[in-house]
Amino acid sequence: MNATTQKKDLSYFQLRLQELLNQSYPELAKDTLFITARSESALETYTKAISYKYTHLEASHIANEVLFSNLPFSKMDLLFNIVCEEFNRDIKDEELRGFAEKMHPITLPVFNQYHLDKDFEDNEMYDALYTELTGTIQLWLDESLLIK
């Protein structure tokens, strides 16, 4: 693999990871050390897989496992889900993502009360967090309407 191909592959893995982080993990989206380290690990994994005669598709799958492994529970994905499920009558479809992003910093104190690991969705406390976040968003909306 020449240097040009290697740089192109590295950019590919960086872009893939950056896209996911922007969408689901805004708190990690600017962590260049994390992004660089993960991208380099994925590239190395991909290169080794190709050298072991895996197909490009198989090598990409293996590299993606490294690239996306052990990411924490996604606060943004949960917020977006709540906004879509609970507030879709109040917020236009095209504004749902932006509203969830706006709520992210407002709801961080609620998230901080829970021990969130990558398997939190299966935790018995998931429903309590969902309910508390829904209430926090509703209170924010009610207060915002009073201010206007």
Side-chain angles (χ1 to χ4, degrees), residues 25-81:
Y25 301 94
E27 64 277 11
L28 294 175
K30 290 186 170 61
D31 188 342
T32 55
L33 293 176
F34 173 75
I35 294 167
T36 300
R38 279 291 176 97
S39 300
E40 288 174 356
S41 292
L43 175 61
E44 183 179 325
T45 300
Y46 176 85
T47 303
K48 283 182 183 178
I50 291 297
S51 74
Y52 292 142
K53 306 297 185 212
Y54 284 94
T55 67
H56 289 288
L57 185 61
E58 292 167 331
S60 291
H61 178 73
I62 295 166
N64 284 338
E65 288 181 14
V66 170
L67 191 63
F68 304 126
S69 70
N70 296 319
L71 287 172
F73 178 80
S74 174
K75 298 171 190 170
M76 183 55 73
D77 286 350
L78 177 55
L79 277 176
F80 184 63
N81 184 41

Side-chain angles (χ1 to χ4, degrees), residues 44-143:
E44 183 179 325
T45 300
Y46 176 85
T47 303
K48 283 182 183 178
I50 291 297
S51 74
Y52 292 142
K53 306 297 185 212
Y54 284 94
T55 67
H56 289 288
L57 185 61
E58 292 167 331
S60 291
H61 178 73
I62 295 166
N64 284 338
E65 288 181 14
V66 170
L67 191 63
F68 304 126
S69 70
N70 296 319
L71 287 172
F73 178 80
S74 174
K75 298 171 190 170
M76 183 55 73
D77 286 350
L78 177 55
L79 277 176
F80 184 63
N81 184 41
I82 290 171
V83 168
C84 289
E85 294 293 322
E86 308 296 334
F87 300 97
N88 61 349
R89 290 180 304 275
D90 304 320
I91 301 167
K92 296 176 186 170
D93 286 349
E94 62 273 9
E95 297 173 357
L96 291 170
R97 170 60 63 183
F99 183 75
E101 291 170 354
K102 184 176 188 173
M103 290 293 100
H104 187 261
I106 293 166
T107 58
L108 285 178
V110 175
F111 279 112
N112 290 338
Q113 296 174 21
Y114 292 83
H115 174 70
L116 303 175
D117 60 18
K118 65 182 178 68
D119 299 318
F120 184 76
E121 197 168 345
D122 298 325
N123 188 303
E124 62 191 30
M125 296 303 293
Y126 177 86
D127 289 339
L129 175 60
Y130 187 102
T131 301
E132 195 169 347
L133 289 169
T134 302
T136 299
I137 294 169
Q138 186 62 59
L139 285 172
W140 185 90
L141 283 170
D142 292 346
E143 289 173 3

Side-chain angles (χ1 to χ4, degrees), residues 12-28:
Y12 168 79
F13 289 117
Q14 283 178 326
L15 290 172
R16 292 265 320 199
L17 183 57
Q18 189 69 60
E19 179 182 15
L20 176 70
L21 297 180
N22 289 342
Q23 191 78 15
S24 298
Y25 301 94
E27 64 277 11
L28 294 175

